[in-house]
Amino acid sequence: MNITPGNAAGLPKISYTVSFPEAQAHYVDVEMNITGLAQPSLDVKMPVWAPGSYLVREFAKNIEAFSVSANGKQVSAPKINKNTWHINTAGLNSVTVKYKVYAFELSVRTSFIDVSHAFLSTTGIFLFPKGMLNQPSTITIKPYKDWNKVSTSLEMVKGDVFTRTAPNYDILYDSPLEIGTQDVFTFDAAGVNYEVAMYGGGNYDKERLKVDMAKIIEAETAVFGENPNKHYTFIVHNKARNGGGLEHLSSTVLGASREGYTNERTYHGFLSLVAHEHFHLWNVKRLRPIALGPFDYDNENYTTNLWIAEGFTAYYQNIILRYADLSNTETFLGDMAGDINTVENQPGAKVQPLSESSFDAWIKSYRPNENSYNTGISYYDKGAVIGMLLDLEIINSTNGKSSLNDVMKYMYNTYYKGLKRGYTDAEFKAGFEKFAGKKLDDFYAKYINGLDAINYDKYLGYAGYKLSDELASTSEPTLGVFTNQRNIITTVVRDGAGWVDGLNVGDQITAIDDTPVTDLNAVIKGKKVGDKIVVTVTRDAQAFKIPVTLQRNNTFKYTITEIPNATPQQLAVRKKWLKL
């Protein structure tokens, strides 16, 4: 769609020009023009975080050569805090702000520029005038050398691929730009035109991707009953090894391994990523916790509901592939067993409640340290497990009439479309209860806000399944530590042998019982549970001998298996759950 940007009467008009005279050095030059001013001063600010990635990243740290001019003269514009410049606009109708941004971190949430392309994650590129987040803006791109394509969800102005417009800053900051010579292909699904922009090459099969991505899109659209976009853009960065994604309102950025598309396991992982990030266009970008919009770009935006926003999306990335016949029952159950294993093998799951994991994302999830394994749990992994449990609970309670899908659609229609706002924790809980036909106070107290052990067999049993632990009958000894290839300890597991007897992260294990160690795992496997050994470590360039009593390795390796002689009720739940 080509549109001409409008401007609210009496308010300033904002435009940007971006150019790349030093692309080889990873810089973008930004010129911001603001006209129609009628105020004595103006603050311009850089966001400190990128929505969808819950960490204050201090994007202003990459700005340099900041200057402001008007009528050919420099204007006073001191920096007054970490991300704000105060411009003296007394007597001025317009100002031009110029600055450079250093961009050399290719991730889904940060910008990267070199001579091959520019990926602009807009929260770290464009300043905004304080108090004007609802103002439209235009962006004119002056491409570097042979760059000839722009991939973004921002609309073109008068058909010019290098001129884009945003109706407000929430849209601008939700619309990254890929600029270069990327490989672009398109397809239609669910009545929407989809563009896929591939940077970095790779062994992908465009025709297969068109078919499989369309299946995912159709299956997800069926959950909510509509696809609210007119067009949608996938930006895919292919590297030797890559992963991760970040959702946006009408686009997403994905990381992929360029030679992984012909490996069925890696390809399955890529399709899961597609399913995850695309599902976010409903869950998070429109159906959202009330704290996540309108955004405060200066501070953390706290919510206890990322287990719904991200965790449920992690659940749906698995079950959507089952709906779309892109994975079979065995693969889906294997994926869910993987989430269960992650949760149950992490000591932090017994320390941090799920709702707290969400609230503390800003200080814990994105800033892990050597003890995070012992103190926290991911709202992705446990949230996915909780999504599965609630799906099974609703299906069983309603004899197959309803499922979690109905809750998601109801909440989307009620809060995003109807009330045009986010939901509270209590409102989503009420949505679950509406379709489950029962109160879920106990479920919340145990599994969302509490630390009770999850009764997996109860919920899996509704569908005629149970958990089986392949390691239940084993008795292998363990030091209770994780090490790298140089036998340097990277994690000491809570209450394990190393924890109890004083091994430290950073210790390099050099000997066991005075025998030099090369293959640590082989040495430990040759011992028995209860054996007392002496571990020699190098710590701060000094040697220490530490007596350690080996414990049993309590790691779980769960699989989801069928219960013999499942009842007709169980088989009916299974059929509804897995769309068999």
Side-chain angles (χ1 to χ4, degrees):
M1 177 186 292
N2 303 322
I3 65 174
T4 301
N7 196 68
L11 290 174
K13 184 176 180 181
I14 306 162
S15 64
Y16 301 88
T17 300
V18 295
S19 57
F20 307 90
E22 295 181 292
Q24 84 289 347
H26 321 300
Y27 280 92
V28 57
D29 285 21
V30 182
E31 180 179 303
M32 177 187 190
N33 288 287
I34 309 172
T35 61
L37 292 169
Q39 57 208 74
S41 64
L42 176 70
D43 289 349
V44 292
K45 306 173 71 67
M46 178 67 85
V48 303
W49 69 291
S53 181
Y54 306 102
L55 176 68
V56 171
R57 296 182 184 275
E58 311 293 19
F59 293 120
K61 68 187 177 184
N62 295 317
I63 290 181
E64 58 186 81
F66 182 92
S67 68
V68 181
S69 63
N71 304 319
K73 296 181 180 180
Q74 291 298 112
V75 174
S76 174
K79 191 174 185 180
I80 59 172
N81 62 33
K82 64 181 182 179
N83 67 321
T84 309
W85 289 259
H86 183 73
I87 305 172
N88 180 4
T89 57
L92 299 178
N93 175 261
S94 63
V95 294
T96 298
V97 181
K98 293 183 179 181
Y99 56 97
K100 293 175 175 290
V101 179
Y102 179 72
F104 196 53
E105 183 183 352
L106 185 59
S107 77
V108 296
R109 65 193 72 82
T110 52
S111 298
F112 180 93
I113 299 162
D114 66 9
V115 295
S116 68
H117 78 133
F119 172 66
L120 303 184
S121 181
T122 45
T123 44
I125 300 295
F126 297 107
L127 296 168
F128 69 92
K130 182 180 179 180
M132 299 185 193
L133 286 172
N134 290 324
Q135 281 296 96
S137 61
T138 59
I139 301 95
T140 300
I141 300 162
K142 294 184 176 180
Y144 178 81
K145 291 189 176 180
D146 61 345
W147 295 354
N148 57 13
K149 295 174 184 173
V150 177
S151 297
T152 181
S153 58
L154 292 175
E155 305 287 2
M156 288 187 286
V157 176
K158 298 179 179 178
D160 182 359
V161 70
F162 291 109
T163 306
R164 303 289 175 146
T165 185
N168 56 56
Y169 278 90
D170 284 337
I171 298 295
L172 176 59
Y173 290 149
D174 217 7
S175 306
L177 298 105
E178 176 68 27
I179 308 163
T181 59
Q182 61 270 21
D183 183 21
V184 175
F185 62 90
T186 62
F187 62 92
D188 291 334
V192 177
N193 180 252
Y194 281 81
E195 173 186 337
V196 181
M198 290 284 197
Y199 166 76
N203 60 359
Y204 51 87
D205 180 336
K206 294 182 190 179
E207 297 308 313
R208 184 183 185 188
L209 282 173
K210 288 179 185 179
V211 171
D212 290 348
M213 292 172 77
K215 288 179 179 178
I216 291 168
I217 292 160
E218 296 283 359
E220 292 183 344
T221 301
V223 171
F224 292 93
E226 69 172 20
N227 191 318
N229 287 299
K230 295 180 179 178
H231 57 83
Y232 188 97
T233 303
F234 287 97
I235 298 171
V236 185
H237 291 147
N238 294 298
K239 298 172 63 179
R241 294 183 65 183
N242 203 12
L246 187 65
E247 71 276 3
H248 298 283
L249 192 71
S250 301
S251 64
T252 188
V253 186
L254 310 178
S257 299
R258 67 169 61 95
E259 301 302 324
Y261 294 93
T262 55
N263 177 292
E264 288 305 311
R265 182 176 179 180
T266 308
Y267 185 66
H268 174 80
F270 177 74
L271 292 183
S272 294
L273 180 62
V274 169
H276 182 104
E277 300 304 338
H278 186 265
F279 194 82
H280 272 316
L281 78 85
W282 294 277
N283 191 32
V284 171
K285 299 315 303 182
R286 291 172 175 85
L287 172 61
R288 57 175 174 76
I290 200 162
L292 297 183
F295 292 116
D296 178 352
Y297 293 104
D298 287 303
N299 300 288
E300 296 88 343
N301 292 229
Y302 295 100
T303 174
T304 56
N305 291 128
L306 292 181
W307 60 275
I308 298 172
E310 290 290 355
F312 279 22
T313 304
Y315 171 62
Y316 272 99
Q317 77 183 49
N318 294 328
I319 204 162
I320 284 295
L321 297 190
R322 171 78 284 280
Y323 291 171
D325 285 323
L326 292 169
S327 70
N328 56 28
T329 297
E330 181 181 6
T331 301
F332 167 71
L333 294 177
D335 289 337
M336 293 312 305
D339 287 330
I340 293 171
N341 284 323
T342 298
V343 172
E344 295 304 317
N345 284 318
Q346 187 160 337
K350 298 178 177 64
V351 175
Q352 184 184 51
L354 185 55
S355 55
E356 182 184 298
S357 171
S358 171
F359 194 84
D360 280 348
W362 296 91
I363 58 171
K364 291 189 176 182
S365 296
Y366 286 87
R367 284 197 176 100
N369 63 22
E370 69 283 351
N371 201 38
S372 295
Y373 184 74
N374 295 314
T375 62
I377 190 63
S378 167
Y379 48 78
Y380 285 88
D381 300 318
K382 191 171 181 181
V385 170
I386 294 299
M388 178 185 74
L389 303 186
L390 286 169
D391 200 4
L392 286 165
E393 177 64 51
I394 294 167
I395 294 170
N396 184 71
S397 296
T398 61
N399 294 314
K401 179 182 177 182
S402 300
S403 71
L404 185 61
N405 294 352
D406 297 289
V407 178
M408 302 304 287
K409 183 177 181 179
Y410 165 79
M411 295 298 291
Y412 173 81
N413 287 332
T414 300
Y415 291 94
Y416 169 67
K417 294 184 69 178
L419 298 175
K420 303 185 187 309
R421 65 166 174 84
Y423 57 82
T424 66
D425 182 79
E427 287 167 344
F428 218 114
K429 178 174 177 286
F432 293 135
E433 293 173 340
K434 173 182 174 66
F435 287 90
K438 62 174 68 174
K439 287 289 186 181
L440 294 172
D441 294 357
D442 189 55
F443 187 95
Y444 264 69
K446 288 181 176 179
Y447 302 148
I448 309 303
N449 302 315
L451 297 169
D452 286 35
I454 295 175
N455 185 352
Y456 292 103
D457 283 348
K458 170 186 175 181
Y459 297 92
L460 290 170
Y462 293 152
Y465 291 109
K466 65 178 181 178
L467 272 191
S468 298
D469 180 12
E470 294 182 6
L471 302 179
S473 61
T474 63
S475 186
E476 291 187 354
T478 179
L479 269 177
V481 300
F482 296 133
T483 60
N484 63 17
Q485 292 180 333
R486 297 172 55 206
N487 291 331
I488 296 174
I489 296 174
T490 56
T491 300
V492 179
V493 178
R494 182 183 290 272
D495 296 328
W499 176 286
V500 171
D501 291 324
L503 294 177
N504 288 357
V505 168
D507 287 351
Q508 183 172 28
I509 298 174
T510 58
I512 301 291
D513 293 335
D514 293 325
T515 300
V517 170
T518 52
D519 188 340
L520 179 61
N521 289 331
V523 172
I524 298 302
K525 283 185 178 180
K527 306 289 184 180
K528 298 190 298 295
V529 174
D531 280 355
K532 299 181 185 299
I533 63 175
V534 176
V535 182
T536 303
V537 302
T538 299
R539 180 185 298 171
D540 190 28
Q542 293 181 302
F544 293 86
K545 292 181 181 293
I546 302 174
V548 176
T549 302
L550 295 177
Q551 296 184 9
R552 179 183 180 273
N553 188 341
N554 290 319
T555 298
F556 302 104
K557 188 177 180 181
Y558 286 121
T559 57
I560 298 174
T561 58
E562 291 189 19
I563 295 172
N565 306 314
T567 67
Q569 166 73 6
Q570 289 172 320
L571 293 176
V573 170
R574 183 186 302 178
K575 182 178 180 180
K576 171 75 171 181
W577 182 35
L578 302 178
K579 291 198 182 304
L580 299 176

